[in-house]
Amino acid sequence: MHDGTVATLFFYLFAVASIALALGVVLGRRLLRSAVCLIGVLGSSAGLILVLGFEFIAGIQVLVFIGGIVVLLLFAIMMTSEGHTFEQRPSAARRVMGGIVATAFFVVTLSVYVHTDFPPATAEGLAVSHEDVHAIGRKLLSNERDGYIVPFEVISLLLLAALIGGIVIARKHDPEDT
């Protein structure tokens, strides 16, 4: 098989998996199962990024989104899960509103896709050198004016605050009682 054929095959495989798992996220009746489907969606999108040849971005996708945010979401769900917290069957009004919002999102996305002039992809445009990856890494961890170390630290504090908030919410008794 030709490399282009294999890449196309994996593209369609990841695309179908993303769509199926996204439907699992939206249509799932259990919050924990929807979160697990979200892990699959993010993993499939990392696979799509990998097919495009951007290994670094795919790795960051897995580390940050799957390894950090979704795992934190799963912890919060498991720590705060109570039977009366989650609505198992949404009302008809909520279903209609959800359908309207989903349809509007689909129409806007389709409109942007149809009216955008995408340049044709070339093999030279997808090639990434090791120097580019090193430059991205240096820029992400740089504390210079054009570096991104401060946003990384802010995000880490945000995740820490969310974890502490989840623990506080999950506590069943007042800390002064112990």
Side-chain angles (χ1 to χ4, degrees):
M1 258 203 255
H2 188 265
D3 270 346
T5 307
V6 172
T8 303
L9 179 70
F10 276 112
F11 172 80
Y12 285 116
L13 178 75
F14 286 128
V16 167
S18 292
I19 292 169
L21 289 166
L23 287 173
V25 171
V26 175
L27 300 175
R29 294 200 180 272
R30 306 244 183 220
L31 191 57
L32 189 61
R33 288 183 187 164
S34 293
V36 171
C37 286
L38 181 62
I39 291 173
V41 170
L42 293 171
S44 295
S45 64
L48 286 169
I49 294 169
L50 199 59
V51 167
L52 291 173
F54 298 108
E55 294 87 5
F56 179 77
I57 303 297
I60 293 297
Q61 167 92 7
V62 170
L63 286 174
V64 172
F65 287 109
I66 296 175
I69 295 172
V70 175
V71 170
L72 183 67
L73 177 68
L74 286 173
F75 282 148
I77 290 169
M78 289 188 290
M79 290 181 353
T80 61
S81 179
E82 294 182 16
H84 66 277
T85 306
F86 306 113
E87 185 178 359
Q88 293 296 325
R89 294 187 177 261
S91 65
R94 285 184 182 235
R95 288 182 187 178
V96 169
M97 185 56 89
I100 291 170
V101 170
T103 303
F105 180 76
F106 177 74
V107 167
V108 168
T109 304
L110 186 64
S111 173
V112 168
Y113 177 74
V114 168
H115 293 94
T116 302
D117 185 28
F118 295 103
T122 61
E124 294 82 30
L126 294 178
V128 177
S129 68
H130 291 290
E131 291 81 22
D132 292 340
V133 174
H134 290 293
I136 291 171
R138 275 190 244 107
K139 189 164 185 155
L140 285 175
L141 298 176
S142 171
N143 60 357
E144 302 288 323
R145 181 179 179 151
D146 61 343
Y148 290 97
I149 193 72
V150 173
F152 266 42
E153 292 300 322
V154 169
I155 289 172
S156 69
L157 290 174
L158 177 68
L159 290 173
L160 178 64
L163 182 62
I164 292 171
I167 291 170
V168 169
I169 290 171
R171 288 187 75 110
K172 301 290 183 203
H173 63 281
D174 192 14
E176 295 173 2
D177 292 341
T178 57

